[in-house]
């Protein structure tokens, strides 16, 4: 335990040291950034454009206040004017195009508004996600404070920011697994008896593998030592030589499910005899907020003016706001919600989750954002207003296409000697909320995908099915 505490203090000093000072030419106020990875752990990524950075901000459980929206609007206007705020699929917000010499000032202003960046990127514990509106429904459950305390505890561990790869944790307390436990390293699902079932070692990527049940039952006071045990195990056994095989699910694949679960149990047995550990605080709620609105900003982008309007609507109408896991915003209120004019066209449409694609990702094979814009500008998306469409720019499936109920991943194909964009169809997945991976459909073109979406919009209760035959004529080679 003493050894752990020593490491913990070292880790805290390390975090503090790299969270301050001005960034100039790769230095923090005269202190050289030790490596790019260290800066990533503070949520800052270099962009393709020299001198510009992306700053990711963790919004724990997606709980965000009107005051925080105003700070985000002010910061983006001051330092990256004209660039919208970007919502992620992990309840984070990103600022893009931050000049290098403004990174430290941006972080300071964010911290003052209780907006945190530590652990937003890099090989560490990412934002812990929580079903977005679980505490706002009748007979709801609130776990936000407990999850916050858990995160604070986990980042005090010596190995928290020296993991072989990123580590994702989610909590689903709604009974519908809506925090996607099957695509997290650890996904906790609340049982009817008040305990959790633990799903774990799942991830997507080019060869997706969904999580398995690691433990049928765990008590609330066992969650922290269980997470610590798995993290320590991962730090020891994760592959540090090959990033493509460095996630926890790869350890599981190397060991086999049975041996993996058994090894985790042994590690947990030694941890739970230690302590003290934070108990996951959870309480039942009864908030009468029956009116709901789901806003889906196109491409997950929200302008500073829209963020400010959102804050005004929240304050003026007493609304609660949550970030979802499909780049969406949920509002809940006691009265019918009246969105500001700048927000009105964000409701009644599907969430179209798309990665950067060929516009800015070196792996991108297709223009994902162009396709997303075509979908959102069509006149028939009303029938999909509670749905999500996934568009990934290549078979890495970063937009969660591999678990999509309806989605595509970019390909290139040569038809009669001409190379063109193509899209591999994925259908019938469980959105990470069940054990269902999407079924691969044919490789089609953008027009054919739009036709299929329109059919789905016309009969939204019908489960999407793959066509039985290829729909493209001509001699075709697909890559
Ligand atoms: S799916 Fe491919 S194109 Fe899209 S972000 Fe991932 S690697 Fe890039």
């Amino acid at each position: 335990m003493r050894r752990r505490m020593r490491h913990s203090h070292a880790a805290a000093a390390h975090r503090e040291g790299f969270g301050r000072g001005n960034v100039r030419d790769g230095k923090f106020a005269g202190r050289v950034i030790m490596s790019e990875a260290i800066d990533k752990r503070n949520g800052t990524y270099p962009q393709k454009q020299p001198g510009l950075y992306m700053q990711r901000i963790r919004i724990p459980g997606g709980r965000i206040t009107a005051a925080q929206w105003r700070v985000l609007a002010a910061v983006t206007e001051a330092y990256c004017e004209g660039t919208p705020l970007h919502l992620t699929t992990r309840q984070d917000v990103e600022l893009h195009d931050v000049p290098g010499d403004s990174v430290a000032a941006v972080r300071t202003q964010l911290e003052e508004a209780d907006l945190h960046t530590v652990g937003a990127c890099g090989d560490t514990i990412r934002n812990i996600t929580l079903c977005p509106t679980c505490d706002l429904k009748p007979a709801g459950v609130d776990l936000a404070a407990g999850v916050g305390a858990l995160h604070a505890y986990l980042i005090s561990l010596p190995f928290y920011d020296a993991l072989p790869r990123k580590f994702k944790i989610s909590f689903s307390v709604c009974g519908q697994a809506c925090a996607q436990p099957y695509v997290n390293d650890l996904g906790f699902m609340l049982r009817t008896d008040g305990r959790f079932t633990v799903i774990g070692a799942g991830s997507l990527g080019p060869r997706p593998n969904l999580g398995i049940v690691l433990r049928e039952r765990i008590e609330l006071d066992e969650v922290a030592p269980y997470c610590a045990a798995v993290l320590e195990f991962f730090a020891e056994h994760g592959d540090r030589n090959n990033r493509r095989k460095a996630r926890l699910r790869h350890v599981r694949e190397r060991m086999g499910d049975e041996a993996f679960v058994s090894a985790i149990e042994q590690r947990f047995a030694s941890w739970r005899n230690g302590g003290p550990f934070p108990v996951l605080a959870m309480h039942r709620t009864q908030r009468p907020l029956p009116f709901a609105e789901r806003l889906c900003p196109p491409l997950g982008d929200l302008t500073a003016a829209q963020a400010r309007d959102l804050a005004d609507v929240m304050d003026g109408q007493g609304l609660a706001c949550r970030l979802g896991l499909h780049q969406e915003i949920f509002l809940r209120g006691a009265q019918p919600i009246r969105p500001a004019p700048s927000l009105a066209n964000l409701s009644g449409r599907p969430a179209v989750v798309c990665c950067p694609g060929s516009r800015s990702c070196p792996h991108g094979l297709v223009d994902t954002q162009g396709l997303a814009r075509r979908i959102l500008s069509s006149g028939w998306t009303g029938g999909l207003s509670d749905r999500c469409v996934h568009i990934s720019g290549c078979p890495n499936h970063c937009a969660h296409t591999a678990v999509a109920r309806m989605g595509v991943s970019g390909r290139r194909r040569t038809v009669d000697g001409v190379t063109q964009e193509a899209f591999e169809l994925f259908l019938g997945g469980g959105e990470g909320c069940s054990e269902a991976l999407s079924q691969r459909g044919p490789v089609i073109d953008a027009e054919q995908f739009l036709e299929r979406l329109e059919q789905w919009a016309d009969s939204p209760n019908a489960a999407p099915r793959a066509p039985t035959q290829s729909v493209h004529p001509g001699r075709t080679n697909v890559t």
Side-chain angles (χ1 to χ4, degrees):
M1 187 64 186
R2 193 172 299 134
R3 182 173 142 259
R4 279 187 193 132
M5 289 302 293
R6 255 203 328 267
H7 282 291
S8 173
H9 291 144
H14 163 85
R15 285 196 301 281
E16 193 172 323
F18 288 97
R20 299 173 194 280
N22 291 320
V23 177
R24 285 190 195 284
D25 302 328
K27 296 179 180 178
F28 270 90
R31 182 186 303 144
V32 177
I33 298 174
M34 298 302 285
S35 76
E36 189 183 286
I38 288 173
D39 209 38
K40 280 182 181 173
R41 285 169 237 177
N42 280 329
T44 312
Y45 263 81
Q47 294 181 194
K48 267 168 83 173
Q49 302 89 337
L52 294 181
Y53 292 79
M54 181 278 285
Q55 178 65 61
R56 187 175 295 159
I57 303 141
R58 288 188 302 105
I59 309 293
R63 272 65 175 158
I64 186 165
T65 66
Q68 289 174 324
W69 278 123
R70 288 198 182 91
V71 169
L72 289 169
V75 168
T76 196
E77 279 178 340
Y79 297 100
C80 20
E81 193 179 352
T83 304
L85 298 161
H86 181 71
L87 311 181
T88 76
T89 53
R90 210 164 172 82
Q91 298 177 320
D92 306 294
V93 177
E94 292 174 355
L95 306 173
H96 288 252
D97 300 344
V98 182
D101 59 2
S102 300
V103 169
V106 164
R107 282 209 201 118
T108 300
Q109 292 184 34
L110 295 172
E111 290 285 337
E112 286 170 1
D114 212 17
L115 290 163
H116 301 290
T117 59
V118 172
C121 302
D123 295 333
T124 182
I125 304 158
R126 298 294 183 89
N127 194 26
I128 299 180
T129 54
L130 181 57
C131 14
T133 56
C134 56
D135 60 322
L136 304 177
K137 295 173 178 167
V141 177
D142 194 357
L143 199 64
V147 165
L150 175 67
H151 188 266
Y153 166 69
L154 294 177
I155 67 170
S156 76
L157 297 172
F159 38 79
Y160 100 94
D161 64 350
L163 298 174
R165 200 74 166 79
K166 60 188 169 186
F167 194 90
K168 299 180 177 179
I169 303 175
S170 81
F171 285 85
S172 300
V173 294
C174 58
Q176 294 163 357
C178 69
Q180 306 173 343
Y182 290 91
V183 294
N184 277 265
D185 295 289
L186 285 178
F188 293 87
M189 290 200 301
L190 187 63
R191 298 160 44 103
T192 51
D193 63 6
R195 302 177 174 107
F196 283 98
T197 293
V198 190
I199 309 291
S203 79
L204 296 177
R207 246 180 4 96
N209 197 354
L210 297 181
I212 58 170
V213 175
L214 299 181
R215 226 167 196 266
E216 284 291 348
R217 237 181 353 264
I218 195 166
E219 304 288 342
L220 296 188
D221 61 357
E222 293 177 323
V223 168
Y226 190 85
C227 289
V230 176
L231 280 167
E232 186 183 61
F233 178 82
F234 178 45
E236 286 177 20
H237 293 273
D239 189 335
R240 293 180 184 272
N241 297 314
N242 183 355
R243 287 185 64 75
R244 289 172 180 270
K245 301 212 172 209
R247 295 289 299 272
L248 183 65
R249 55 78 70 99
H250 296 111
V251 180
R252 170 189 146 205
E253 288 169 1
R254 278 201 306 277
M255 296 179 76
D257 289 358
E258 204 174 312
F260 176 79
V261 172
S262 168
I264 295 275
E265 279 299 307
Q266 283 176 26
R267 189 64 61 109
F268 174 47
S270 75
W271 268 85
R272 79 170 145 194
N273 292 327
F277 303 109
V279 177
L280 196 67
M282 180 172 76
H283 61 271
R284 300 275 167 190
T285 59
Q286 192 55 262
R287 298 180 69 178
L289 299 176
F291 294 94
E293 197 72 64
R294 180 198 193 212
L295 306 179
C296 298
L299 311 181
D301 288 346
L302 196 72
T303 66
Q306 286 174 315
R308 202 169 275 116
D309 286 347
L310 182 56
D312 291 346
V313 167
M314 288 168 65
D315 279 347
Q317 300 177 38
L319 305 181
C321 181
R322 304 284 187 262
L323 300 184
L325 290 115
H326 292 126
Q327 299 179 310
E328 77 243 279
I329 299 165
F330 292 99
L331 296 174
R332 282 252 172 182
Q335 305 292 330
I337 296 169
R338 303 177 308 283
S342 73
L343 304 172
N345 67 347
L346 305 186
S347 63
R349 65 200 306 180
V352 180
V353 174
C354 74
C355 74
S358 58
R359 292 198 180 188
S360 56
C361 177
H363 302 291
L365 299 174
V366 296
D367 179 7
T368 51
Q369 299 184 1
L371 180 57
R373 285 201 173 88
R374 288 187 65 187
I375 294 168
L376 292 169
S377 62
S378 71
W380 41 257
T381 54
L384 302 174
S385 61
D386 59 345
R387 300 288 160 79
C388 184
V389 179
H390 301 256
I391 306 173
S392 297
C394 77
N396 281 333
H397 304 312
C398 294
H400 296 195
T401 305
V403 289
R405 193 167 173 202
M406 171 84 86
V408 284
S409 283
R411 309 291 291 267
R412 302 293 289 182
R413 70 178 169 188
T414 307
V415 180
D416 297 333
V418 179
T419 301
Q420 58 191 34
E421 286 192 347
F423 298 87
E424 185 173 14
L425 193 59
F426 285 81
L427 298 167
E431 300 283 348
C433 307
S434 75
E435 295 167 89
L437 276 174
S438 304
Q439 300 296 307
R440 287 172 184 268
V443 175
I444 57 179
D445 63 26
E447 302 303 328
Q448 291 161 336
F449 182 51
L450 291 171
E451 281 170 24
R452 290 202 53 94
L453 275 179
E454 188 171 359
Q455 288 166 11
W456 195 30
D458 287 342
S459 53
N461 293 325
R465 291 196 315 274
T468 52
Q469 59 181 24
S470 175
V471 279
H472 205 285
R475 278 190 60 185
T476 305
N477 290 318
V478 179
T479 54

